[in-house]
């Protein structure tokens, strides 16, 4: 997704007061491709890894630059979730 368009999308998601509304907005935008940095930024809206993984699950099939997956892994706190993220992104250890 072009950076300007992503920033608008990110701001719209973040401005929603409730998590359910945010995820509804994210699901509507999940047909777009993101790069790893954009996905990590979207994940960073949430403090908990389960919510971050929910974002990643929506966008994982359309991540444009999987070679930069470290940015996504760095957005996660749990080693278990990092392993789950690698599986989603089809990254070999």
């Amino acid at each position: 997704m072009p950076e300007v368009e992503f920033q608008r999308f990110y701001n719209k998601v973040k401005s929603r007061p409730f998590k359910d509304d945010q995820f509804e907005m994210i699901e509507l935008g999940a047909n777009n491709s993101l790069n790893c940095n954009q996905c990590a930024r979207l994940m960073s809206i949430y403090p908990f890894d389960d919510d971050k993984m929910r974002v990643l699950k929506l966008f994982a099939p359309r991540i444009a630059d999987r070679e930069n997956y470290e940015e996504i892994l760095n957005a996660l706190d749990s080693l278990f979730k990092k392993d789950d993220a690698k599986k989603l992104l089809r990254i070999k250890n």
Side-chain angles (χ1 to χ4, degrees), residues 20-93:
D20 288 342
D21 293 338
Q22 290 174 338
F23 275 111
E24 186 177 308
M25 172 84 51
I26 289 171
E27 287 172 3
L28 291 173
N31 60 342
N32 292 297
S33 292
L34 298 182
N35 62 41
C36 287
N37 179 272
Q38 291 170 336
C39 187
R41 284 172 36 208
L42 204 54
M43 291 165 64
S44 74
I45 292 173
Y46 304 100
F48 301 110
D49 280 353
D50 286 341
D51 293 327
K52 292 175 184 184
M53 287 298 294
R54 191 171 164 191
V55 172
L56 180 58
K57 285 176 186 173
L58 290 169
F59 286 100
R62 287 172 290 290
I63 297 288
D65 62 339
R66 292 175 192 267
E67 67 274 4
N68 295 319
Y69 70 91
E70 286 293 328
E71 294 183 57
I72 290 172
L73 298 183
N74 289 337
L76 297 164
D77 297 318
S78 163
L79 292 175
F80 296 110
K81 295 297 180 182
K82 288 180 185 200
D83 286 341
D84 291 344
K86 285 180 182 179
K87 288 175 189 169
L88 274 174
L89 295 168
R90 295 184 183 104
I91 304 297
K92 305 284 189 237
N93 286 344

